[in-house]
Amino acid sequence: MASRASRRLLKDFLLKRVTSTPVSSVRHFSSSSSSETAPKIPHFSKKGRLLTGATIGLVIAGGAYVSTVDEATFCGWLFNATKLVNPFFALLDAEFAHKLAVSAAARGWVPREKRPDPSVLGLEVWGRKFSNPIGLAAGFDKNAEAIDGLLGLGFGFVEVGSVTPVPQEGNPKPRIFRLRQEGAIINRCGFNSEGIVAVAKRLGAQHGKRKLDETSSASSTSNNDVKHGGKAGPGILGVNLGKNKTSEDAAADYVQGVHSLSQYSDYLVINVSSPNTPGLRMLQGRKQLKDLVKKVQAARDEMQWGEEGPPPLLVKIAPDLSKEDLEDIAAVALALRLDGLIISNTTISRPDSVKKSPVAEETGGLSGKPLLNLSTNILKEMFILTRFFFAISSYCHGLFVERAYLVSFQGKIPLIGCGGVFSGEDAYKKVRAGATLVQLYTGFAYGGPALIPRIKAELAECLERDGFKSISEAVGADYR
């Protein structure tokens, strides 16, 4: 294919030379005017001929060489080439750069991963096969514009949103601020969203295309209990649900999201932890969260589902929680059979590493490297609480009526670690702390597409270094 492209380029080059010859020189040449001198043939200087010949030679030689390179090597080149674009994005306004990146992914102007993931990274969660545990967190593709392009980068799963029922602009601009030296971002976007209707149309169109492709390919996966990939294609698609800023009934907003978007998602997320929507984090309280989750679960379960059943329901929590808050959330999660927790959202705190930056004074949620230790510590606490809930003496009083159920449930639910992941070693820390899956956002914003294969390769090396045969074996290894 590369050699054909080279020949085509050579043909276009020569054609351009021919057509660029002045037409006037031809018009003056006529058999009836033999006394006139013949038109001058365009003359190229010696340097010009040498440059032209060298260019053509390089094109042909390059095309011939590329045609002999295997697909994996060429794919690696493409991902590494994206590093050249990162400095350009760094010069742009943060939000404009974000929109440009989403637009590029939506149009397929990003590399597509053709290399298989290391087998050690494959795992099964919620009855679905993940090729790797590295996912893109909500907030990047808020309106489900670039799912195919983002999954094509090699993410094991992509989470879109947060999606609100009614379109809203979010908070006034500027609202995204970079702390480059600290590898961090502060944002106060405030759930800017095109709304459920717009997102449902995009997801519906993509879902229909996927079904058509599956029918035409006649692939037989019906006999497998574990489904490879999800509703968006080869990867898994999550939908993060939010509430409108002016809404007085938060539960109704989340229920509307379930009714409109759950049929297109592989899992759903109730976002009650964004610091940029007034009163939202109050929903993390024990009673408030229990009431909310019950209503959302009921809305999901009342819908008609096929053999796959309804999509799993998760809750995304904040890193700025007390020990008592975490215990309450764990109790609710276990009692109501929540399918998972995402730990964590951005923080309103300002660690010492960022306090010296003038940008640190901006209000909003902080993400990136300074969040790594804080979010991982919360992850560790929640892993212990959900795994050994009934063994902690502090729960001897005031438990839900479902206490007998808790003992049979064993207190183990999947956790997704999110916050400060910039390398495979960072992801490995999350896994050892109890994360079944790992998400990144700020690391991707700074590192670009080239970061994804690097993180996966480094994570596989960490597993092999410590003698783990699969990623699942390493989950919670720090507590064994």
Side-chain angles (χ1 to χ4, degrees):
M1 186 172 68
S3 59
R4 288 200 302 271
S6 302
R7 290 194 296 271
R8 193 185 309 115
L9 183 59
L10 175 60
K11 180 180 178 181
D12 293 342
F13 179 82
L14 294 176
L15 182 60
K16 185 177 180 180
R17 285 292 191 188
V18 172
T19 55
S20 62
T21 303
V23 179
S24 58
S25 63
V26 179
R27 287 177 179 170
H28 293 317
F29 180 74
S30 173
S31 57
S32 60
S33 56
S34 57
S35 60
E36 297 180 5
T37 59
K40 293 183 179 180
I41 299 175
H43 176 74
F44 301 105
S45 66
K46 185 176 181 180
K47 287 185 178 179
R49 291 196 300 271
L50 288 174
L51 180 60
T52 301
T55 302
I56 295 173
L58 286 173
V59 169
I60 296 174
Y65 177 69
V66 169
S67 66
T68 64
V69 173
D70 62 277
E71 190 175 50
T73 302
F74 187 65
C75 188
W77 286 351
L78 291 178
F79 273 88
N80 286 328
T82 62
K83 296 177 183 178
L84 302 175
V85 186
N86 291 347
F88 166 72
F89 276 86
L91 297 174
L92 303 175
D93 169 75
E95 186 157 1
F96 180 75
H98 177 199
K99 290 182 178 180
L100 191 62
V102 173
S103 180
R107 288 166 171 76
W109 297 346
V110 292
R112 197 165 190 88
E113 184 60 84
K114 300 293 185 180
R115 299 162 293 184
D117 289 326
S119 58
V120 72
L121 298 182
L123 74 162
E124 176 193 343
V125 189
W126 307 310
R128 293 192 180 278
K129 180 76 173 180
F130 288 70
S131 62
N132 72 78
I134 306 301
L136 180 61
F140 186 84
D141 188 7
K142 290 177 176 288
N143 299 302
E145 301 173 78
I147 298 172
D148 185 62
L150 293 172
L151 284 173
L153 288 172
F155 284 111
F157 62 108
V158 167
E159 189 176 311
V160 300
S162 295
V163 186
T164 59
V166 179
Q168 62 180 27
E169 292 294 327
N171 294 323
K173 300 176 182 179
R175 54 194 180 185
I176 303 178
F177 309 90
R178 297 187 184 102
L179 294 85
R180 291 190 182 89
Q181 291 185 348
E182 294 80 7
I185 290 175
I186 292 176
N187 92 84
R188 53 170 179 262
C189 291
F191 283 171
N192 50 311
S193 172
E194 293 182 10
I196 283 177
V197 174
V199 173
K201 285 182 179 179
R202 291 193 184 103
L203 293 180
Q206 185 188 53
H207 186 65
K209 182 178 180 298
R210 168 91 197 283
K211 288 296 183 183
L212 184 63
D213 292 342
E214 286 180 344
T215 302
S216 60
S217 63
S219 58
S220 57
T221 57
S222 58
N223 294 330
N224 255 341
D225 292 331
V226 180
K227 183 176 180 180
H228 293 253
K231 295 182 180 179
I236 303 297
L237 173 66
V239 177
N240 188 299
L241 305 175
K243 67 176 285 291
N244 282 110
K245 183 177 181 179
T246 59
S247 175
E248 297 181 358
D249 188 347
D253 280 13
Y254 292 109
V255 166
Q256 188 175 347
V258 169
H259 285 161
S260 302
L261 303 175
S262 59
Q263 58 185 315
Y264 307 121
S265 62
D266 293 302
Y267 70 88
L268 293 168
V269 181
I270 304 174
N271 188 349
V272 292
S273 54
S274 170
N276 303 313
T277 298
L280 185 69
R281 288 192 168 187
M282 298 293 291
L283 297 173
Q284 294 175 115
R286 184 164 180 157
K287 182 181 184 303
Q288 296 90 332
L289 185 61
K290 182 182 178 183
D291 292 341
L292 175 63
V293 171
K294 277 187 173 181
K295 290 178 181 178
V296 175
Q297 284 179 331
R300 178 198 62 177
D301 296 341
E302 71 184 9
M303 298 174 67
Q304 293 184 352
W305 300 100
E307 294 181 359
E308 295 178 7
L313 183 66
L314 292 76
V315 170
K316 187 169 186 176
I317 66 174
D320 311 304
L321 296 169
S322 66
K323 176 75 171 179
E324 184 180 356
D325 292 333
L326 295 175
E327 291 173 355
D328 288 342
I329 292 172
V332 172
L334 294 170
L336 300 183
R337 297 191 185 188
L338 203 60
D339 297 297
L341 294 169
I342 300 180
I343 307 166
S344 68
N345 213 316
T346 57
T347 178
I348 57 174
S349 68
R350 297 294 182 264
D352 293 337
S353 59
V354 304
K355 284 183 178 179
K356 294 181 180 179
S357 172
V359 181
E361 298 179 1
E362 295 287 349
T363 59
L366 174 72
S367 63
K369 290 182 178 180
L371 184 58
L372 177 63
N373 290 335
L374 176 61
S375 60
T376 304
N377 288 336
I378 297 295
L379 174 65
K380 291 178 180 179
E381 292 283 347
M382 191 56 71
F383 180 78
I384 293 173
L385 289 172
T386 54
R387 190 173 183 88
F388 308 113
F389 180 91
F390 47 83
I392 300 177
S393 59
S394 62
Y395 288 129
C396 288
H397 302 284
L399 280 179
F400 292 128
V401 177
E402 298 91 342
R403 180 176 180 181
Y405 158 72
L406 290 177
V407 176
S408 65
F409 185 58
Q410 301 298 317
K412 181 70 172 66
I413 62 175
L415 305 178
I416 299 180
C418 181
V421 177
F422 276 67
S423 67
E425 191 68 42
D426 294 337
Y428 187 51
K429 289 179 182 178
K430 299 281 188 187
V431 173
R432 291 188 64 98
T436 302
L437 301 168
V438 178
Q439 287 181 326
L440 60 146
Y441 180 171
T442 305
F444 178 58
Y446 280 113
L451 180 67
I452 305 165
R454 180 167 68 83
I455 284 183
K456 292 189 291 186
E458 291 173 355
L459 179 57
E461 290 174 2
C462 290
L463 293 170
E464 294 171 3
R465 177 193 67 202
D466 291 348
F468 293 110
K469 296 180 180 179
S470 69
I471 187 74
S472 299
E473 290 182 5
V475 176
D478 287 345
Y479 305 100
R480 296 173 190 164

